Amino acid sequence: MNSFFVQDNQSPTQPVLQAENVHKSYEQGAIRVLNGVNFEAHAGQTVALCGPSGCGKSTLLHLLGGLDAHTSGNIFVHGAELSRGHSILRLLRHQIGFVFQLHHLIPGLTLEENCLIPAVAAGTPRNAARQRMQELAERTGIAHRLNQPIQKLSGGERQRTALCRALMNRPEILLADEPTGSLDERTSIQIFELLLELVVTEQITLIMATHDRTLARRCHRLVEMRDGRVVEADAACLPEHQEAKCP
């Protein structure tokens, strides 16, 4: 697969996703995971979250996606505050897609059935949902495997399935938690190339937690985290990848 580069031609205004002084703790504050995180992402950007295990990357993604509640601070989606009064279900169904490291597909269902779950939950008409499923399956190279049960898919095929599921409802933002972490090097590169391609074809913003700095440096921005804080946020392009314009 040829390398795919993402051009960032936009002049950022209001972020599509923003965290202001966000804290997250457990056990009544005894366990502190995030300590005043400030973060933002703009439309069409690819952003890599890097840092050692336990620094808070996955927790931040979960909070940004409404999968968990922050202890204090503010999170905004298109300028609207994400809170208990916000329609979290609507957010997850229509605005944000999530890809997990271990894909979290449902055993016993086929590839197609797993991918159709978000469309069913959103009330998408059957024919429209199947058309969207076919379109995504062809883009991700798994159209010939639609009727296969999840147990018979390879690791790369499962992650491609997870991508299809996350994009079924045409979200504006894709959050990916170590999407290549459980894959071999060759498959990791293929999945990452596919992610970059989908950012353009689906016109989405990608925020990805990763330990792979080679892949991270091909994103528009690399955000470094340590001890539950953002310690550095810079353009991440390598000199040999100048096709991807850094903001």
Side-chain angles (χ1 to χ4, degrees):
M1 183 183 294
N2 294 328
S3 293
F4 199 96
F5 297 100
V6 181
Q7 181 104 12
D8 186 10
N9 293 320
Q10 303 203 27
S11 176
T13 52
Q14 179 179 278
V16 296
L17 201 54
Q18 184 176 16
E20 290 184 349
N21 194 31
V22 168
H23 292 254
K24 178 62 179 178
S25 61
Y26 298 94
E27 301 295 333
Q28 297 182 332
I31 302 174
R32 296 183 179 180
V33 183
L34 295 181
N35 301 294
V37 169
N38 292 293
F39 170 85
E40 64 180 39
H42 294 267
Q45 284 188 332
T46 55
V47 183
L49 300 177
C50 291
S53 296
C55 71
K57 301 186 301 295
S58 295
T59 299
L60 178 58
L61 281 184
H62 288 184
L63 299 185
L64 292 173
L67 298 181
D68 197 0
H70 48 292
T71 304
S72 63
N74 301 289
I75 295 175
F76 301 92
V77 181
H78 286 296
E81 186 174 359
L82 179 64
S83 63
R84 293 188 183 276
H86 191 97
S87 177
I88 299 295
L89 286 179
R90 180 172 177 78
L91 176 75
L92 293 175
R93 286 174 182 171
H94 300 285
Q95 291 184 269
I96 293 180
F98 214 109
V99 177
F100 302 90
Q101 178 178 349
L102 298 178
H103 56 74
H104 293 313
L105 300 172
I106 300 177
L109 298 184
T110 65
L111 186 161
E112 181 179 28
E113 289 167 342
N114 266 277
C115 290
L116 287 173
I117 289 173
V120 172
T124 305
R126 183 182 181 88
N127 288 342
R130 289 191 176 278
Q131 183 177 352
R132 173 67 171 164
M133 172 71 256
Q134 188 65 37
E135 172 192 350
L136 288 172
E138 290 175 0
R139 284 188 187 179
T140 55
I142 54 175
H144 63 297
R145 303 283 277 167
L146 287 178
N147 295 320
Q148 290 295 316
I150 293 303
Q151 294 90 325
K152 292 188 177 182
L153 302 181
S154 68
E157 288 172 333
R158 293 182 186 190
Q159 204 61 311
R160 289 169 187 265
T161 303
L163 269 174
C164 287
R165 180 182 62 183
L167 295 173
M168 271 298 296
N169 291 340
R170 304 182 189 275
E172 301 171 38
I173 302 164
L174 182 64
L175 306 179
D177 189 5
E178 296 282 358
T180 64
S182 61
L183 305 175
D184 60 70
E185 183 178 2
R186 179 172 177 272
T187 307
S188 293
I189 293 173
Q190 291 176 342
I191 293 297
F192 184 70
E193 295 287 355
L194 180 59
L195 274 169
L196 293 186
E197 180 178 349
L198 289 168
V199 166
V200 175
T201 59
E202 293 288 315
Q203 299 182 329
I204 58 177
T205 300
L206 171 66
I207 304 170
M208 174 181 73
T210 182
H211 283 97
D212 191 326
R213 291 183 178 273
T214 300
L215 299 183
R217 291 190 183 101
R218 291 185 56 200
C219 293
H220 295 129
R221 294 174 55 225
L222 190 158
V223 175
E224 190 79 27
M225 295 188 67
R226 290 284 189 280
D227 299 323
R229 294 182 173 88
V230 170
V231 295
E232 185 178 354
D234 286 317
C237 304
L238 292 171
E240 60 267 32
H241 291 146
Q242 290 302 306
E243 293 94 324
K245 303 295 184 182
C246 294

